[in-house]
Amino acid sequence: MGSGTSARTTRGVPVSEGTDTESGLYMAEESRPAFAAERREHILELVRANGAMSLRDLAAKVKASEVTVRRDVRALEAEGLIDRRRGGAALPGRMGHEQSYAGKSGQCLAEKAAIAASAARLVRPGDAITMGPGSTAEALARELVQHTELTVVTNALRVAETLASAPGVTVVMPGGSLHGSVRALVGATAENGLADLRVNRAFLSGNGVSADRGLSTPDPAVASVDRALARCAEEIIVLADHTKIGADTMVPTVAPEEIAHLVTDSSADPEVLMTLEEIGALVHMAVVAEERGH
């Protein structure tokens, strides 16, 4: 090498001295159309399999930076293959689509566990609470098994099943028709069964939480019972991982000004959280186990 700019290589890609290795690598990758096309195809497959994913999760799966993945998502959106949303990507028209319960249960497991542990600290001895359906609510139910003096009113089969063997927890279920995709009881019978009840807190999850529309879900039948569960309570607590923050789905269930507490994780969009706090929600940031100590 002469006395001019020296060179080194990273994974076989030439990188000039003084250039950030990671940035140089991504620039080199972006200059290879075949690599970018393969990565975008992988992103599309992941979104199709999961219905929606955050940029962080996509970046981890395809082993690229979030900046690169954001650029890929824009390109895929331009082709009409996916829809961009705040902090992630979804299938086109997902606002009205209800992903399967099994599909949702496998997403953001560490975040949901952290949210559940944080939310459980809002439950006091002697409380009566309502709980809606969802994988995050199911995680909360696992945290509540050790309570010795608690009444839980729920239309969610998985929540009721989790708490059924807890000796200190009384489980109350309304009637109704079984909604298979969310494993919950819905319909007029369920709503009527909740009409005269009064509880301390409602713990609800959904598919989206935004500052404009609050908590929402794509299914009208589920939304109606969620609203009935909320009406029973003195205060409403929303459980939502970062993939749901800033997202809107078809049917609103809890208005933003009615959310007393929002329990989410540290990857949630800070702008949305700040706006919700200004409206009146108290935001609880759950720390995922792997992030502790950093």
Side-chain angles (χ1 to χ4, degrees):
M1 284 291 173
S3 60
T5 303
S6 61
R8 52 194 169 88
T9 62
T10 302
R11 300 182 191 175
V13 180
V15 181
S16 299
E17 288 293 341
T19 300
D20 179 74
T21 300
E22 186 177 10
S23 300
L25 177 59
Y26 287 129
M27 287 174 65
E29 288 174 348
E30 282 301 304
S31 68
R32 296 166 56 192
F35 186 94
E38 291 168 7
R39 189 179 59 246
R40 288 169 187 173
E41 182 63 30
H42 191 189
I43 290 171
L44 183 58
E45 290 172 358
L46 288 167
V47 174
R48 282 174 174 166
N50 293 282
M53 289 186 70
S54 68
L55 290 176
R56 188 181 76 162
D57 291 343
L58 284 169
K61 291 288 187 182
V62 302
K63 296 180 172 58
S65 70
E66 288 189 32
V67 172
T68 298
V69 170
R70 185 177 289 109
R71 190 160 51 240
D72 290 336
V73 167
R74 288 197 188 101
L76 290 167
E77 184 185 44
E79 297 178 43
L81 297 173
I82 61 177
D83 285 344
R84 270 191 305 155
R85 73 180 195 189
R86 192 184 296 269
L91 290 176
R94 189 176 182 269
M95 178 171 281
H97 171 69
E98 172 70 10
Q99 189 185 1
S100 71
Y101 188 93
K104 288 184 290 187
S105 298
Q107 295 178 6
C108 300
L109 295 178
E111 288 86 350
K112 290 173 182 176
I115 289 168
S118 181
R121 291 193 283 272
L122 298 174
V123 180
R124 305 183 183 102
D127 269 357
I129 65 174
T130 58
M131 291 178 63
S135 52
T136 312
E138 187 181 343
L140 174 59
R142 290 192 289 270
E143 293 285 335
L144 298 179
V145 167
Q146 300 303 318
H147 269 257
T148 56
E149 191 181 351
L150 179 65
T151 299
V152 176
V153 181
T154 183
N155 67 322
L157 270 62
R158 297 280 180 91
V159 169
E161 184 179 12
T162 300
L163 294 171
S165 60
V169 181
T170 299
V171 179
V172 178
M173 297 192 76
S177 303
L178 178 62
H179 191 303
S181 67
V182 293
R183 307 292 192 272
L185 299 172
V186 299
T189 302
E191 294 171 40
N192 292 337
L194 297 165
D196 295 326
L197 300 182
R198 292 293 177 268
V199 300
N200 302 102
R201 288 163 200 87
F203 291 83
L204 299 174
S205 187
N207 293 62
V209 185
S210 72
D212 292 330
R213 300 177 72 234
L215 183 65
S216 61
T217 179
D219 191 290
V222 174
S224 291
V225 182
D226 277 357
R227 285 193 288 265
L229 291 165
R231 283 194 295 269
C232 295
E234 294 174 5
E235 63 178 6
I236 299 167
I237 299 166
V238 170
L239 315 176
D241 65 71
H242 64 274
T243 65
K244 299 173 183 178
I245 302 300
D248 278 333
T249 51
M250 190 169 69
V251 189
T253 56
V254 179
E257 62 272 14
E258 295 175 349
I259 300 174
H261 301 264
L262 170 63
V263 190
T264 187
D265 60 84
S266 58
S267 296
D269 189 312
E271 291 184 14
V272 178
L273 299 183
M274 187 179 301
T275 305
L276 286 167
E277 284 185 320
E278 290 172 354
I279 294 171
L282 179 59
V283 174
H284 303 258
M285 197 74 71
V287 180
V288 178
E290 63 191 32
E291 295 176 349
R292 291 172 188 155
H294 287 277

